[in-house]
Amino acid sequence: MLHPLIIATWSVLVDPMNTAQFENITSAAMTLPERERAKLAHDLVASLDGPADMSVAEAWDAEICRRIKDIESGKSELLDADEAIASARERIRS
């Protein structure tokens, strides 16, 4: 038996459509192949976040460009992943 709060929350979430419509959409979605269900799930979850904040995207673009320039200029040194992990583990043990 579902908790009354869950039922109330569900009814608020599906207010624009009735439960039968919601169940039909859910049933249809469940018949999709796994890859398409995963894409649909991703898109639905992403839609809950709202529109992307362009200032954040621009900041990441700038940071990526800065890091590439640092690597190309020799200012930053790339490390082998296994060596970096081994070094980090050694620091933790010390």
Side-chain angles (χ1 to χ4, degrees), residues 49-66:
D49 292 335
D53 184 347
M54 290 311 294
S55 62
V56 172
E58 290 170 3
W60 272 113
D61 286 345
E63 178 65 14
I64 291 166
C65 288
R66 183 192 65 76

Side-chain angles (χ1 to χ4, degrees), residues 19-83:
T19 303
Q21 288 172 316
F22 180 80
E23 289 174 359
N24 287 339
I25 292 169
T26 302
S27 293
M30 295 304 285
T31 65
L32 294 170
E34 182 177 349
R35 176 177 238 147
E36 283 77 13
R37 286 194 327 270
K39 168 100 173 71
L40 176 60
H42 175 270
D43 292 348
L44 289 171
V45 171
S47 75
L48 298 174
D49 292 335
D53 184 347
M54 290 311 294
S55 62
V56 172
E58 290 170 3
W60 272 113
D61 286 345
E63 178 65 14
I64 291 166
C65 288
R66 183 192 65 76
R67 291 181 186 194
I68 290 170
K69 286 179 186 174
D70 286 352
I71 292 167
E72 289 174 343
S73 71
K75 183 176 178 183
S76 293
E77 179 184 345
L78 295 178
L79 301 175
D80 176 75
D82 291 334
E83 291 176 18

